[in-house]
């Protein structure tokens, strides 16, 4: 997710509200689906996949049994709104090192992958946020998605490193863990990720691209595991 993002798939609201037995059955079906494309649910109730698809985090890379990734297609539940300007005056013309320092603070202190607390002035308003499953265009839309995905009080990002790797690129490694904002309180076990930030001619972040160290089957299993103690 940062966001954000952990991605999960195909949890119907019906399964979530009909008790442990139905939840277990749905979980088993979903794990089996990790070796083939997932089809949209036939009922009219929004699935977990649809919920996250509407956030820009709604699909995950599934194995096809041959060691090759296969992307399940997402479908939107609700729009994130139009791309709009957010924050104050953009910090155009600053050095790539200054942007790196700002991103480091936003990750260490702001925990922005799970909170959305980032410095808006260093991101282009039409910034593209890419993860292994989806692309969200627009800083305002990304922030809306993050605000709906993670429970910030029980989620965290551990920044391992962040460094300038080129005239307009910054890269970071991190570990994320936490809980998602759903009634059954699914836990996201710690997983590693890598982010590449690409700056535009004005020195603003134009692209944030993430890769993750997490399997599709594990992501599905976590999604369906209630955590009543939180």
């Amino acid at each position: 997710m940062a966001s954000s993002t952990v991605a999960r798939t195909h949890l119907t609201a019906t399964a979530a509200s009909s008790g442990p037995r139905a939840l277990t059955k749905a979980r088993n079906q979903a794990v089996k689906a990790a070796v083939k494309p997932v089809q949209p649910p036939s009922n009219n109730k929004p699935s977990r996949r649809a919920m996250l698809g509407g956030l820009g985090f709604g699909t995950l890379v599934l194995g096809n049994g041959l060691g090759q990734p296969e992307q399940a297609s997402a479908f939107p539940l609700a729009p994130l709104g139009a791309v709009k300007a957010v924050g104050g005056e953009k910090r155009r013309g600053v050095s790539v090192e200054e942007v790196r320092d700002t991103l480091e603070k936003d990750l260490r202190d702001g925990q922005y992958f799970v909170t959305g607390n980032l410095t808006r002035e260093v991101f282009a308003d039409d910034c593209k946020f890419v993860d292994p499953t989806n692309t969200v265009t627009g800083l305002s839309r990304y922030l809306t998605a993050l605000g709906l995905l993670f429970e910030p009080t029980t989620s965290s990002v551990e920044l391992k490193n962040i460094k300038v790797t080129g005239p307009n690129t910054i890269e970071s490694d991190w570990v994320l863990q936490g809980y998602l904002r759903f009634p059954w309180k699914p836990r996201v076990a710690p997983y590693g990720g890598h982010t590449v930030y690409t700056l535009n001619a004005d020195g603003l972040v134009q692209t944030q691209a993430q890769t993750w160290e997490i399997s599709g089957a594990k992501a599905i299993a976590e999604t369906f595991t209630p955590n009543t103690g939180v």
Side-chain angles (χ1 to χ4, degrees):
M1 207 254 168
S3 194
S4 123
T5 62
V6 179
R8 301 294 188 272
T9 189
H10 201 58
L11 178 56
T12 63
T14 301
S17 61
S18 56
R21 183 173 298 178
L23 192 60
T24 300
K25 180 179 179 181
R27 174 183 176 177
N28 292 339
Q29 291 172 342
V31 172
K32 289 180 181 179
V35 296
K36 62 182 179 180
V38 181
Q39 299 300 320
S42 58
N43 59 37
N44 293 325
K45 294 186 178 182
S47 70
R48 169 68 189 283
R49 175 181 168 193
M51 294 163 75
L52 294 183
L55 301 182
F57 299 93
T59 62
L60 55 92
V61 174
L62 302 177
N64 63 5
L66 301 174
Q68 299 295 322
E70 185 171 335
Q71 184 173 357
S73 59
F75 54 96
L77 172 66
L80 293 173
V83 177
K84 61 183 180 181
V86 293
E89 183 177 355
K90 298 298 181 181
R91 298 181 186 175
R92 293 179 171 84
V94 302
S95 68
V96 64
E97 288 80 13
E98 289 179 87
V99 177
R100 189 213 73 90
D101 291 345
T102 299
L103 293 172
E104 180 177 19
K105 184 176 185 296
D106 288 348
L107 286 166
R108 288 195 192 280
D109 301 335
Q111 300 279 293
Y112 86 82
F113 287 165
V114 296
T115 66
N117 293 333
L118 54 75
T119 302
R120 291 151 171 76
E121 290 76 17
V122 300
F123 286 83
D125 285 323
D126 62 348
C127 183
K128 184 177 292 186
F129 298 86
V130 183
D131 65 32
T133 65
N134 260 312
T135 298
V136 174
T137 299
L139 176 59
S140 60
R141 302 176 78 243
Y142 176 69
L143 293 174
T144 297
L146 290 182
L148 297 170
L149 187 60
F150 283 97
E151 174 50 61
T153 61
T154 53
S155 303
S156 66
V157 180
E158 179 186 358
L159 181 63
K160 296 295 187 179
N161 63 73
I162 182 166
K163 57 188 176 181
V164 174
T165 56
N168 65 339
T169 56
I170 299 166
E171 299 185 38
S172 67
D173 294 290
W174 41 268
V175 175
L176 186 151
Q177 66 83 35
Y179 291 83
L180 301 178
R181 289 179 178 269
F182 293 92
W184 56 99
K185 302 174 182 177
R187 180 173 186 265
V188 177
Y191 72 95
H194 181 79
T195 304
V196 177
Y197 301 92
T198 303
L199 311 187
N200 62 22
D202 290 327
L204 302 175
V205 178
Q206 190 64 56
T207 304
Q208 172 186 290
Q210 293 185 351
T211 54
W212 303 328
E213 298 174 354
I214 186 171
S215 71
K218 182 176 180 180
I220 293 171
E222 288 177 345
T223 298
F224 283 88
T225 303
N227 287 274
T228 57
V230 177

